């Protein structure tokens, strides 16, 4: 019987390390829809988790994953109905995705996972994304006062960068863009959702407001029932790496953080829900 495999994609400062730690704590304490399969026992190498778990238990934020790091933890998961999935959680410096975009070259480890995956989890931290909403008007104005020798900006608009990166990853995975995709299924997590001051009810509308080209590309390429967009606050608040948050410690990290479901609604402390959505659809 095929066990679905899920991979996670996130750039630098996207919050994937904190989500990783908070997810694992909930899995071990049975605080969500998914659990670690008992027949597998403890994953053989938890070294990528040690720092973030220690920091969370002490109410501090974890340090940034070094750029060249590549380690992987296999989390064998199961839901209440007995459906199983293997979550290959890569611990890597998010700058590696930037390198993929810049060099147009995907490492072999990534190629293997992308081609086999039944589902992708994409983390986007909207407050860290650079956009140029008035870029066309700005370029038009510059053209009036320039001889054409002015250098292009060094930072890409996030809309163009994410669409280009997704196309690279899809090409490496051997996936075409002629027909709408049903596999791999895609979950988009808008991380650090507590940073956003938004009155929008649906996370998909928040994505469309901040990154309209990315939203349009995703929803045009994936079938409606094969993509979902969630709001994610893995910590529920900002932590400092040098000082402890007593409230976070006293209440326990498993009671911190929340998600907003793709169909809206109240904050939910079950951080496994976006992954459970992928599993139910497999």
């Amino acid at each position: 019987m095929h066990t679905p495999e899920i991979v996670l994609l996130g750039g630098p400062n996207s919050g994937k390390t904190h989500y990783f730690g908070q997810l694992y704590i909930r899995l071990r304490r049975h605080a969500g829809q998914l659990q670690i399969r008992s027949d597998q026992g403890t994953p053989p190498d938890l070294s990528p988790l040690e720092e973030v778990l220690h920091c969370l238990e002490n109410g501090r934020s974890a340090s940034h994953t070094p750029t060249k790091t590549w380690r992987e933890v296999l989390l064998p998961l199961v839901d209440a109905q007995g459906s199983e999935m293997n979550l290959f959680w890569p611990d890597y410096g998010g700058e590696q995705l930037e390198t993929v975009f810049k060099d147009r070259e995907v490492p072999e480890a990534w190629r293997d996972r992308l081609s086999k995956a039944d589902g992708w989890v994409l983390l986007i931290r909207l407050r860290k994304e650079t956009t140029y909403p008035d870029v066309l008007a700005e370029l038009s104005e510059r053209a009036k006062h320039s001889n054409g020798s002015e250098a292009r900006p060094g930072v890409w608009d996030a809309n163009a960068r994410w669409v280009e990166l997704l196309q690279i990853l899809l090409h490496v995975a051997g996936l075409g863009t002629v027909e709408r995709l049903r596999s791999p299924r895609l979950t988009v997590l808008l991380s650090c959702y507590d940073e956003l001051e938004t009155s929008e009810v649906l996370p998909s509308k928040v994505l469309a407001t901040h990154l309209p080209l990315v939203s349009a590309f995703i929803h045009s390429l994936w079938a409606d029932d094969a993509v979902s967009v969630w709001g994610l606050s893995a910590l529920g608040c900002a932590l400092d790496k040098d000082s402890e948050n007593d409230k976070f410690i006293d209440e326990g990290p498993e009671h911190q953080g929340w998600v907003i479901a793709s169909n809206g609604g109240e904050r939910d402390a079950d951080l496994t829900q976006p992954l459970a959505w992928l599993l139910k659809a497999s």
Side-chain angles (χ1 to χ4, degrees):
M1 179 179 178
H2 174 68
T3 301
E5 296 186 2
I6 308 298
V7 295
L8 178 133
L9 303 164
N13 300 309
S14 62
K16 63 183 182 301
T17 298
H18 287 135
Y19 182 44
F20 187 13
Q22 286 286 71
L23 177 67
Y24 185 75
I25 289 172
R26 280 162 166 76
L27 290 171
R28 295 303 296 178
R29 297 178 183 176
H30 309 295
Q33 294 185 29
L34 299 178
Q35 298 179 21
I36 294 179
R37 299 203 302 270
S38 58
D39 61 314
Q40 298 291 318
T42 303
D45 180 14
L46 292 178
S47 57
L49 278 173
E50 289 175 356
E51 182 191 1
V52 63
L53 293 177
H54 177 75
C55 288
L56 292 175
E57 293 290 355
N58 289 278
R60 294 185 286 109
S61 65
S63 60
H64 178 69
T65 304
T67 300
K68 295 184 179 180
T69 296
W70 173 270
R71 299 175 295 184
E72 192 173 66
V73 173
L74 166 60
L75 296 180
L77 306 178
V78 62
D79 66 10
Q81 288 70 47
S83 299
E84 300 178 350
M85 77 156 62
N86 288 330
L87 175 62
F88 290 95
W89 196 287
D91 179 43
Y92 60 88
E95 292 84 0
Q96 292 184 30
L97 274 185
E98 301 291 337
T99 301
V100 168
F101 171 75
K102 179 181 177 182
D103 297 344
R104 304 297 194 272
E105 184 175 348
V106 180
E108 192 60 36
W110 285 65
R111 289 174 177 268
D112 183 60
R113 286 284 171 249
L114 288 167
S115 62
K116 293 180 179 178
D118 301 274
W120 293 2
V121 179
L122 177 64
L123 272 81
I124 299 178
R125 186 176 179 180
L126 293 175
R127 279 284 296 273
K128 293 294 184 179
E129 298 292 350
T130 300
T131 59
Y132 304 104
D134 300 319
V135 67
L136 293 179
E138 180 184 340
L139 289 175
S140 178
E141 186 65 25
R142 267 200 263 166
K144 297 177 184 178
H145 308 285
S146 172
N147 61 7
S149 61
E150 188 171 352
R152 296 176 60 188
V155 179
W156 280 60
D157 182 286
N159 283 282
R161 179 171 48 80
W162 273 115
V163 169
E164 179 78 2
L165 180 58
L166 284 170
Q167 290 186 101
I168 292 171
L169 299 178
L170 288 165
H171 175 73
V172 167
L175 299 167
T177 58
V178 176
E179 296 183 359
R180 299 180 77 186
L181 298 172
R182 294 192 174 277
S183 180
R185 300 177 67 85
L186 176 67
T187 287
V188 180
L189 300 181
L190 303 181
S191 61
C192 300
Y193 208 67
D194 53 293
E195 294 179 337
L196 304 177
E197 297 179 2
T198 177
S199 59
E200 294 283 3
V201 177
L202 300 178
S204 59
K205 291 190 175 182
V206 175
L207 176 62
T209 298
H210 287 76
L211 298 177
L213 184 59
V214 176
S215 175
F217 176 78
I218 287 174
H219 287 286
S220 66
L221 190 57
W222 269 269
D224 292 340
D225 60 354
V227 61
S228 63
V229 182
W230 301 67
L232 166 69
S233 176
L235 302 178
C237 63
L239 296 181
D240 191 277
K241 67 178 181 178
D242 298 317
S243 60
E244 298 178 351
N245 184 315
D246 291 334
K247 180 180 178 181
F248 196 93
I249 297 172
D250 293 341
E251 295 183 358
E254 72 273 21
H255 298 296
Q256 309 298 321
W258 41 266
V259 292
I260 300 291
S262 56
N263 59 355
E266 299 297 321
R267 297 177 178 181
D268 195 311
D270 183 4
L271 300 186
T272 73
Q273 279 198 64
L275 302 181
W277 177 85
L278 286 172
L279 181 57
K280 289 176 182 177
S282 298

